[in-house]
Amino acid sequence: MDAYLRRLANLYRGLEFEVDEPIVTAGGSAFSDQVADVLGGLGGNVVLRSGAYIVHDDGFYRDISPFARGTGADAPPRSEPLRSAMHAWGRVVSRPEPALALLDVGKRDVPFDEGLPEPQLVRGKGALEGGRITALNDQHAFLRDSSADVGDVVRLGLSHPCTALDKWTMIPVVDDAGAARPVVVDYVRTWF
């Protein structure tokens, strides 16, 4: 990534611009620290395109973001990485087999391009005992090896949350995602 960014910086320095304040833009939530380090000294306007830092995630970016690995080549990992600020909630609508529960959330609702949602807890009951999402179809998530019962509401950690922001134009904000009965206290409007 550093080599690519150095090439981009050299290209920027070698161009003649028809505007007084040219903009160079680069990013990705996994590389925001490197973009800032390499492009920050260009003297122009640098725009970081790092969407996941806003809500972080419980999957793809959890282990590769600069906040998980530290900053700089020799920095140790941070002791307290970012926590995810976006989850999905799905109700168990069926237990067609002893080891399978179907949730009322699917591809139309949650991101799935960089990993399936991770079941985390059952509202009012606490941490989910076992369980993993093994597949999604348009309307349902397939939760295997879980203690969740029909009617339970399951909190799902999301991977690559940027693709959730384009699915939902109004995102509810809750007071405490770990509470027995979280309360919606606000909404965030998205424009994708």
Side-chain angles (χ1 to χ4, degrees):
M1 181 53 67
D2 282 342
Y4 166 76
L5 291 167
R6 283 191 299 274
R7 286 193 312 271
L8 180 60
N10 288 335
L11 174 65
Y12 178 88
R13 287 184 193 104
L15 293 174
E16 292 183 27
F17 298 99
E18 296 179 359
V19 296
D20 293 334
E21 295 186 32
I23 296 172
V24 61
T25 179
S29 298
F31 309 110
S32 57
D33 58 334
Q34 291 168 273
V35 171
D37 288 346
V38 176
L39 301 182
L42 289 178
N45 293 318
V46 176
V47 176
L48 288 172
R49 290 181 286 111
S50 315
Y53 81 92
I54 294 172
V55 294
H56 203 45
D57 81 347
D58 287 311
F60 182 71
Y61 290 113
R62 174 179 46 210
D63 297 325
I64 65 170
S65 83
F67 301 101
R69 68 175 188 271
T71 58
D74 299 323
R78 295 177 186 256
S79 59
E80 294 185 35
L82 292 176
R83 292 179 298 135
S84 175
M86 179 182 250
H87 305 95
W89 298 82
R91 185 176 304 276
V92 177
V93 293
S94 177
R95 294 277 326 206
E97 302 170 11
L100 175 62
L102 298 178
L103 305 179
D104 63 352
V105 60
K107 288 181 179 180
R108 296 180 184 191
D109 309 304
V110 296
F112 57 91
D113 62 321
E114 289 288 351
L116 295 172
E118 296 180 359
Q120 297 175 329
L121 61 84
V122 175
R123 188 176 70 194
K125 295 183 178 179
L128 186 65
E129 298 297 322
R132 58 193 164 78
I133 301 294
T134 58
L136 296 172
N137 64 22
D138 280 355
Q139 304 287 337
H140 298 99
F142 293 70
L143 176 61
R144 298 233 175 238
D145 306 320
S146 158
S147 61
D149 295 319
V150 172
D152 283 347
V153 177
V154 178
R155 185 180 83 189
L156 301 170
L158 303 177
S159 181
H160 197 224
C162 302
T163 57
L165 300 175
D166 65 349
K167 295 176 188 304
W168 296 93
T169 58
M170 294 289 285
I171 298 175
V173 176
V174 297
D175 59 352
D176 180 357
R181 298 195 66 76
V183 175
V184 174
V185 295
D186 203 352
Y187 289 90
V188 173
R189 177 89 168 108
T190 64
W191 286 273
F192 250 78

